[in-house]
Structure formats: C-alpha cells, structure tokens
Amino acid sequence: MDTIKIKDEFIKLGQALKLAGLVDSGVEAKIVILDGKVKVNGETEYQRGKKLHNNDIFEYNGKAVKVLA
C-alpha cells in the first residue's frame, strides 16, 4: 500500500488523488469520484471535498493509499 504525507490536519479527497498520482487533474478526480469509482475506508465516496485525516485509506483503480499526517 502506498502512502501520502500531509502537512495539515486533513486533505480533500480530490487533492489526495492528485497527490498520490492516481489522476492527472482536478477535473479527472471529480469525474471518477462522481462516477462512484473511489472508496474511502471501504465505503464508496461521492464528495470530492471529503476530508481525509491521518490513517484514512482511499482506493481507486485497484490501488490503495494511506494518509499520514
């Protein structure tokens, strides 16, 4: 499982997808989230602005990434 390191208390899901290199742009992040292709902690997430905190795990396209603060 990959990890991303954040400096603040949280990161928004769309930003996290870009930071992890799973999407190329905010527009692409919005599309895959609205299409129900992204999971956060095992649950399908439809909010691009969903706040991810330390130890949250998001998944897209068969890859899981853990958020570390």
Side-chain angles (χ1 to χ4, degrees):
M1 177 183 306
D2 292 335
T3 60
I4 59 169
K5 183 94 170 130
I6 59 172
K7 299 174 190 155
D8 300 314
E9 181 183 335
F10 66 86
I11 186 170
K12 292 182 180 177
L13 179 56
Q15 295 169 328
L17 286 167
K18 287 193 298 184
L19 184 61
L22 299 182
V23 296
D24 294 326
S25 68
V27 173
E28 185 181 354
K30 178 181 178 181
I31 292 168
V32 299
I33 293 167
L34 290 176
D35 284 350
K37 296 179 179 176
V38 179
K39 290 187 177 185
V40 175
N41 297 326
E43 300 284 324
T44 301
E45 183 57 60
Y46 296 96
Q47 297 177 41
R48 181 173 56 160
K50 169 78 174 172
K51 293 178 181 177
L52 303 180
H53 298 86
N54 190 41
N55 291 322
D56 280 342
I57 297 171
F58 60 97
E59 302 171 55
Y60 170 62
N61 206 18
K63 295 187 180 179
V65 181
K66 186 172 187 174
V67 177
L68 299 177

